[in-house]
């Protein structure tokens, strides 16, 4: 087989046809419903206990922290009402080994960073009460109340012992208290829920919050009494008022039983070699943590067949995750000539013109597949909730940085919904989100405080709140 023939074969495997998009989306709808049913399914569909829609009139001052993949962000947000806000924030780089280190080290690192931030922001000012904080924790965490989050499993390469199965709020609160920092964690928030609420605070036509980043996920508002798995668990005040409920879908776990996704041998290898095989099948095909790895595995496969980088030592490329997503993203952004310098500088590998063109085209295929598969979750939520128009607030490195992601995603949505109008008139669009982990966390903390002041519940019958 020639390199060109191998590429043609890969191209076929990575291409997602409109028919396949429809098949995946239809299966997705039934999986979303299954996740809300009493028996449950692959997709966790976690009720996030945000029980009202923001109006834009919320006011107050809140702290927020966002534990992302590479940074911890601490934010002081002032909600001014009238859909306006101001904020100040600081980033603290998460030391690499901490992703797979000890639980106490993680909580102490967060508490130390928060303490540092509070000292900078408030100096020696005497505070009358503890500062309310919204904790954006972007991993699947079950919630029986707004201030609880029992980690189901780590994703995105995190693997810290003794956290799965535990409520992360008391773990963090204990570390905060040990530093005598005057802060109380009042809400635990997924980044998608934060994105949904922050964007809705500013734009009432927001219908969902989406992250296309290191991981992938979406959140939307359902109605409490339409969620079978909450039957018998809802306090009367929630049941009686037709309350909305933000759902953190955790749809990165879609199709873990592999019924419809067109997985390639590269996707299967990524899964097998990951800390949690058998989990997050969908996410592992489309999210930023994995896109560079897909490219690397394809190239290694070609190399093993003596089709590419002939007679060269490619050791640096044989290191797992040697290419992060900025590789395919930058390669697509520039032309094939950029590949020459990139491969020489990063891996000491020389490339021929044919190789460079093929690497460039592979990046195009990987990015296109990611965008097309990514919108199946979006389309499924629209179908489930009968949304025929609205804004899907979107954030994350893939959405913000991967070339053409948005156009490709819109094209795929059109393949599913067949609007057949000019792209600028598509009724459902992905738009750049407001700052979910800062503003979203603040708005959610504010909505929670309001409910508690009005003696309304923010959790199940059994929860303490
Ligand atoms: C996590 C989600 C998160 C998403 C985007 C996934 O790996 O499970 O909780 O929303 O990444 O950050």
């Amino acid at each position: 087989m020639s390199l060109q023939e191998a590429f043609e074969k890969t191209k076929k495997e990575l291409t997602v046809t409109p028919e396949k998009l429809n098949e995946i989306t239809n299966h997705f709808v039934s999986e979303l419903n299954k996740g809300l049913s009493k028996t449950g399914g692959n997709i966790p569909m976690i009720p996030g206990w945000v029980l009202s829609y923001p109006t834009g009139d919320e006011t107050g001052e809140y702290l927020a922290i966002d534990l992302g993949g590479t940074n911890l962000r601490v934010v002081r947000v002032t909600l001014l009402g009238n859909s306006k806000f101001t904020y100040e924030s600081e980033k603290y780089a998460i030391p690499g080994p901490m992703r797979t280190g000890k639980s106490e080290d993680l909580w102490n690192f967060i508490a130390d960073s928060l303490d540092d931030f509070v000292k900078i922001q408030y100096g020696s000012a005497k505070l009358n009460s503890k500062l309310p904080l919204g904790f954006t924790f972007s991993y699947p965490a079950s919630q029986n109340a707004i201030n609880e989050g029992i980690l189901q499993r780590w994703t995105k390469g995190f693997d810290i012992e003794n956290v799965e199965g535990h409520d992360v709020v008391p773990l963090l609160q204990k570390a905060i208290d040990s530093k005598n920092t005057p802060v109380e964690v009042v809400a635990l928030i997924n980044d998608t829920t934060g994105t949904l609420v922050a964007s809705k605070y500013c734009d009432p036509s927001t219908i969902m919050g989406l992250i296309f980043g290191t991981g992938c996920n979406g959140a939307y508002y359902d109605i409490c009494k339409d969620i079978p798995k909450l039957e018998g668990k809802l306090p009367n005040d929630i049941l009686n008022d037709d309350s909305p409920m933000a759902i953190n879908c955790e749809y990165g776990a879609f199709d873990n039983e592999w019924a419809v996704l067109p997985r390639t041998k590269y996707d299967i290898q990524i899964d097998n070699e990951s800390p949690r095989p058998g989990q997050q099948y969908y996410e592992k095909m489309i999210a930023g943590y994995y896109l560079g790895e897909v490219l690397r595995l394809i190239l290694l496969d070609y190399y093993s067949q003596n089709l590419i980088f002939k007679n060269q030592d490619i050791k640096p490329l044989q290191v797992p995750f040697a290419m992060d997503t900025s590789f395919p993203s930058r390669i697509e952004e520039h032309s094939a000539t950029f590949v020459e310098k990139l491969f020489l500088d990063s891996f000491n590998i020389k490339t021929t013109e044919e190789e460079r063109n093929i690497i460039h085209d592979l990046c195009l295929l990987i990015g296109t597949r990611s965008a097309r598969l990514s919108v199946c979750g979006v389309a499924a939520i629209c179908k489930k909730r009968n949304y025929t128009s609205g804004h899907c607030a979107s954030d994350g490195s893939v959405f913000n940085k991967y070339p053409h992601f948005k156009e490709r995603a819109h094209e795929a949505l059109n393949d599913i919904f067949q609007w057949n109008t000019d792209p600028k008139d598509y009724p459902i669009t992905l738009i750049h989100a407001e700052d979910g982990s800062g503003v979203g966390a603040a708005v959610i903390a504010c909505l929670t405080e309001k409910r508690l002041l009005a003696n309304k519940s923010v959790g199940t019958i059994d929860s303490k709140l």
Side-chain angles (χ1 to χ4, degrees), residues 138-140 155-156 190-192 211 215-217 250 280 283:
S138 308
Y139 301 89
T155 58
K156 301 178 278 203
N190 186 262
D191 50 358
T192 54
I211 301 289
C216 78
N217 191 12
E250 288 296 339
Q280 306 289 104
E283 175 164 279

Side-chain angles (χ1 to χ4, degrees), residues 44 46 66-69 136-141 151 153-157 189-193 210-219 248-253 280 283 287 289-290 395-396:
I46 301 171
D66 175 17
L67 180 67
T136 304
F137 184 69
S138 308
Y139 301 89
L151 178 63
R153 64 189 159 275
W154 287 115
T155 58
K156 301 178 278 203
I189 298 137
N190 186 262
D191 50 358
T192 54
T193 315
L210 304 166
I211 301 289
F212 308 99
T214 312
C216 78
N217 191 12
N248 160 22
C249 300
E250 288 296 339
Y251 64 42
Q280 306 289 104
E283 175 164 279
Y289 192 66
Y290 306 97
D395 210 347

Side-chain angles (χ1 to χ4, degrees), residues 338-354:
F338 173 81
V339 177
E340 179 168 23
K341 189 166 163 23
L342 188 68
F343 273 66
L344 256 186
D345 291 354
S346 313
F347 307 113
N348 202 19
I349 293 177
K350 292 194 200 75
T351 45
T352 64
E353 195 183 342
E354 185 197 15

Side-chain angles (χ1 to χ4, degrees), residues 384-399:
K384 177 177 164 37
R385 295 287 302 149
N386 294 322
Y387 292 139
T388 51
S389 65
H391 292 157
C392 306
S394 309
D395 210 347
S397 51
V398 174
F399 181 79

Side-chain angles (χ1 to χ4, degrees), residues 299-300 303-304 306-318 340 343-345 347-353 355-356 359:
L299 296 179
L300 289 190
Y303 178 78
S304 72
N306 201 25
L307 300 174
I308 201 168
F309 314 141
K310 286 182 188 162
N311 303 319
Q312 293 191 63
D313 174 6
I314 62 154
K315 265 201 204 74
L317 190 64
Q318 279 159 332
E340 179 168 23
F343 273 66
L344 256 186
D345 291 354
F347 307 113
N348 202 19
I349 293 177
K350 292 194 200 75
T351 45
T352 64
E353 195 183 342
E355 290 172 352
R356 291 195 281 277
I359 293 172

